[in-house]
Amino acid sequence: DDLSLDSSLSLIHSALGNGLIGSPGGPLSTDVKRQPITPEITLHAGAQYAFPFGDGTALTPRIDVAHTGGQTTTPVDFFFNGVPLDRVPPHTLLNLKLTYGTEKWNAEFFVTNVTDEIYIEAHGGPGYNAYPNEPRRIGFRLHYNF
């Protein structure tokens, strides 16, 4: 009961085929690759262990690892001088958490994106406006259940 494990796996295969894409110079015939934001593989694994104390409290460390495969942000996989413009590279995120308390209340120290992985999460709007992922975040939370 003190050990908890969880995991998930997602496999996606998508293909859109050929299509016409509108551009300022007129329609552009292109080979449309994958649906946007559909990595072929996504997996997650998490583990935690509760160390109970005699007073009803517990200290619970937790680790989560999530991997997301490479993906495109648009259906057209544009390249410029051999460099893909519309791709998000594969990335792996590591999160840690340490919780102390009871079911009624607890205090939690956490670190998300421990390795400070940096990648472009999405882009859009006029031109190539890039939106990076969240950087490493360190925090503390208090919870109380009424």
Side-chain angles (χ1 to χ4, degrees), residues 13-21 28-36 38 72 74-77:
H13 177 74
S14 68
L16 298 176
N18 292 321
L20 290 176
I21 303 296
L28 172 67
S29 177
T30 185
D31 181 19
V32 179
K33 305 293 184 198
R34 298 184 294 185
Q35 287 179 299
T38 54
T72 61
T74 68
V76 182
D77 201 6

Side-chain angles (χ1 to χ4, degrees), residues 80-144:
F80 179 74
N81 289 335
V83 176
L85 298 177
D86 301 316
R87 291 193 188 176
V88 176
H91 49 276
T92 302
L93 297 178
L94 173 66
N95 300 320
L96 300 173
K97 182 167 62 170
L98 184 63
T99 305
Y100 174 76
T102 67
E103 287 186 26
K104 185 81 173 167
W105 66 270
N106 67 55
E108 177 181 285
F109 172 75
F110 64 90
V111 182
T112 59
N113 193 4
V114 172
T115 60
D116 207 17
E117 181 86 17
I118 298 171
Y119 58 92
I120 298 302
E121 195 168 61
H123 72 71
Y128 280 91
N129 296 322
Y131 304 100
N133 65 301
E134 289 282 331
R136 177 185 306 126
R137 182 177 294 180
I138 299 171
F140 181 77
R141 290 188 274 243
L142 294 173
H143 299 269
Y144 185 82

